[in-house]
Amino acid sequence: MSGKPKLYYFDGRGKMESIRWLLAAAGVEFEEEFLETQEQYEKLLQGGFLLFQQVPMVEIDGMKMVQTRAILSYIAAKYNLYGKDLKERALIDMYVGGTDDLMGFIMMFPFLSAEDKEKQRAVIVQKATSRYFPAYEKVLKDHGQDFLVGNRFSWADVHLLEAILMVEEKKSDVLSGFPQLQAFKTRISSIPTIKKFLEPGSQRKPVPDDKYVETVRRVLRMYYDIKAN
């Protein structure tokens, strides 16, 4: 093995995308194995690698890790993106939890019908502008620093930028009433590792399309059929 982390997931965003973001922010190169068939997924299951029968899975430091939050916490701690003490770590966890909640409204968007997508788009924008973005706007304004926690770049900043860009894909001017977040977006996007990840040709995945949706449904159908019976 090359020593690089290896990511097992679909060729698309989903729950793995935040892991890609965090590794890229840390300047860590990684490899990917894309699940395209039920056989690949079944092989991971039969090998006992998916502790809870779910992906993402990341092979890192001799471990085969599952559960997105555990993987992200490990990467953040390993690469010094998790604060300098317990209080900072608690704040990072709190802010990441908020962005996770917001991303949750977006995660299933590609799998909805056209009619439901329009309803969900309105929900995403409403939640972002009335609940989540005002909270982060206030944090940045109150402490007057460049980053969310401890005036140093952390997992919380990476996660918030990812969430901002996801919501902007649903409404391009969604930050119009949030000057602190506009400046934050510009600032974080200019960090060299982030800037590289945002450039064409990186391992950042595009907005999920019909092909991605069809692949996920095809690969996971066997598992969900079994669970239903």
Side-chain angles (χ1 to χ4, degrees), residues 134-154:
Y136 297 114
E137 182 81 2
K138 185 178 188 301
V139 169
L140 291 166
K141 184 177 181 179
D142 285 353
H143 67 38
Q145 297 175 338
D146 289 344
F147 306 104
L148 285 171
V149 179
N151 204 26
R152 58 188 292 184
F153 183 48
S154 77

Side-chain angles (χ1 to χ4, degrees), residues 62-79:
M63 299 182 290
K64 291 180 173 64
M65 293 192 70
V66 295
Q67 292 297 307
T68 308
R69 189 59 181 261
I71 296 166
L72 287 166
S73 296
Y74 182 82
I75 293 167
K78 178 178 173 69
Y79 294 106

Side-chain angles (χ1 to χ4, degrees), residues 39-186:
E39 289 74 21
Q40 286 175 288
Y41 182 66
E42 194 68 17
K43 184 177 179 181
L44 292 176
L45 286 174
Q46 291 174 354
F49 302 129
L50 304 183
L51 184 61
F52 302 108
Q53 302 179 357
Q54 295 172 317
V55 288
M57 184 181 82
V58 173
E59 200 167 351
I60 184 170
D61 294 341
M63 299 182 290
K64 291 180 173 64
M65 293 192 70
V66 295
Q67 292 297 307
T68 308
R69 189 59 181 261
I71 296 166
L72 287 166
S73 296
Y74 182 82
I75 293 167
K78 178 178 173 69
Y79 294 106
N80 199 28
L81 295 169
Y82 211 174
K84 71 178 187 297
D85 55 33
L86 282 175
K87 287 186 177 180
E88 288 193 358
R89 183 168 293 193
L91 287 174
I92 290 169
D93 284 339
M94 185 169 69
Y95 297 148
V96 166
T99 46
D100 267 344
D101 290 345
L102 177 55
M103 288 178 183
F105 292 104
I106 305 172
M107 198 73 67
M108 293 306 296
F109 186 86
F111 297 89
L112 301 175
S113 67
E115 181 180 353
D116 287 341
K117 280 182 179 178
E118 287 311 304
K119 294 177 182 177
Q120 188 67 2
R121 188 189 308 275
V123 169
I124 291 165
V125 172
Q126 190 273 331
K127 295 292 186 184
T129 55
S130 67
R131 179 182 298 180
Y132 298 101
F133 288 173
Y136 297 114
E137 182 81 2
K138 185 178 188 301
V139 169
L140 291 166
K141 184 177 181 179
D142 285 353
H143 67 38
Q145 297 175 338
D146 289 344
F147 306 104
L148 285 171
V149 179
N151 204 26
R152 58 188 292 184
F153 183 48
S154 77
W155 173 21
D157 302 304
V158 180
H159 217 51
L160 178 55
L161 177 61
E162 182 188 0
I164 287 171
L165 297 181
M166 289 172 73
V167 179
E168 284 187 329
E169 289 169 349
K170 302 295 178 274
K171 190 175 189 294
S172 59
D173 64 348
V174 72
L175 287 186
S176 60
F178 302 98
Q180 296 291 333
L181 287 180
Q182 291 176 39
F184 173 87
K185 174 190 167 185
T186 299

